[in-house]
Amino acid sequence: MGGVTSAAFSVLSLAPVIPVVVLDDAADAVPLARALVAGGLPAIEVTLRTPAALDAVRAIADEVPDAVAGAGTVLTAEQVDAARAAGSRFLVSPGWSPRLLGAMKDSGVPFLPGVSTASEVVTLLDEGLTELKFFPAEAAGGTSHLRSLAAPLPRARFCPTGGITPAMAPAYLALPNVGCVGGTWMLPPDALAAKDWPRIERLAREAARLRG
């Protein structure tokens, strides 16, 4: 699918921005994913915040071969299993517990556990994990916090998510320990409501060009 076939691929290296998608209607999943892929954003995080989420992941996985569909806001081991059964190719959590971490490790797909402190990063590095979600990015200290982690924790790489705008994204992407950022700005609610896929494709293309 989309040239990414190994479970060991790096989520952080697929694109500079991972769209964070909340869908109320699974019927929108395929045209939305096609617009994002056409704009240069193949990694799509569908958050498990709505009843339609798993059906949306399944539809993208089945019908948009160039997309890399993932599940976000994964909070339980049961959600890990459900997301994998739906075809999710990566997992993202806002935080982690020992049980959730174990389930994500056992899933066989890449995952980004959420962290916001140096102690959490050290703990996960000790677990052999180096690719992490930094959340909530702006509220947790933004670029200055991540810059302060780079020297003492050089093995850790991050996908900052939470409160990031297109104006802020280049500063995050310029950091040596940031592989990509997560965001929603290429998915304006009015464009989703109007099913304005060309507008979303255009915004995705602008986002894909943010890494300077």
Side-chain angles (χ1 to χ4, degrees):
M1 289 185 181
V4 181
T5 57
S6 171
F9 71 87
S10 167
V11 178
L12 302 190
S13 300
L14 292 173
V17 180
I18 296 179
V20 181
V21 177
V22 181
L23 284 175
D24 292 312
D25 186 350
D28 291 337
V30 168
L32 173 61
R34 286 175 175 157
L36 292 171
V37 169
L41 301 181
I44 301 169
E45 176 187 337
V46 179
T47 66
L48 302 185
R49 302 180 196 175
T50 68
L54 289 173
D55 286 337
V57 170
R58 186 175 293 106
I60 295 170
D62 289 345
E63 299 184 45
V64 190
D66 290 329
V68 182
T73 320
V74 176
L75 303 176
T76 67
E78 291 74 19
Q79 286 181 322
V80 170
D81 292 341
R84 284 294 292 124
S88 179
R89 295 177 63 199
F90 66 92
L91 306 168
V92 184
S93 65
W96 54 276
S97 67
R99 182 168 182 257
L100 176 59
L101 196 65
M104 290 193 291
K105 282 184 173 183
D106 291 342
S107 71
V109 298
F111 60 94
L112 301 175
V115 297
S116 60
T117 68
S119 293
E120 290 174 308
V121 177
V122 170
T123 299
L124 294 184
L125 287 174
D126 194 48
E127 292 279 343
L129 304 176
T130 58
E131 297 199 347
L132 313 169
K133 174 178 179 174
F134 178 59
F135 178 83
E138 279 294 293
T143 54
S144 61
H145 187 101
L146 286 167
R147 191 177 296 110
S148 72
L149 296 177
L153 302 169
R155 289 190 298 131
R157 296 179 69 227
F158 300 94
C159 174
T161 305
I164 298 175
T165 67
M168 298 172 182
Y172 279 96
L173 293 169
L175 295 174
N177 55 351
V178 170
C180 64
V181 301
T184 61
W185 70 83
M186 73 298 299
L187 305 163
D190 60 334
L192 285 172
K195 304 185 191 302
D196 189 348
W197 313 128
R199 181 183 172 197
I200 289 173
E201 179 181 338
R202 184 168 62 253
L203 292 171
R205 186 170 292 108
E206 293 170 1
R209 293 172 179 161
L210 281 175
R211 191 188 297 279

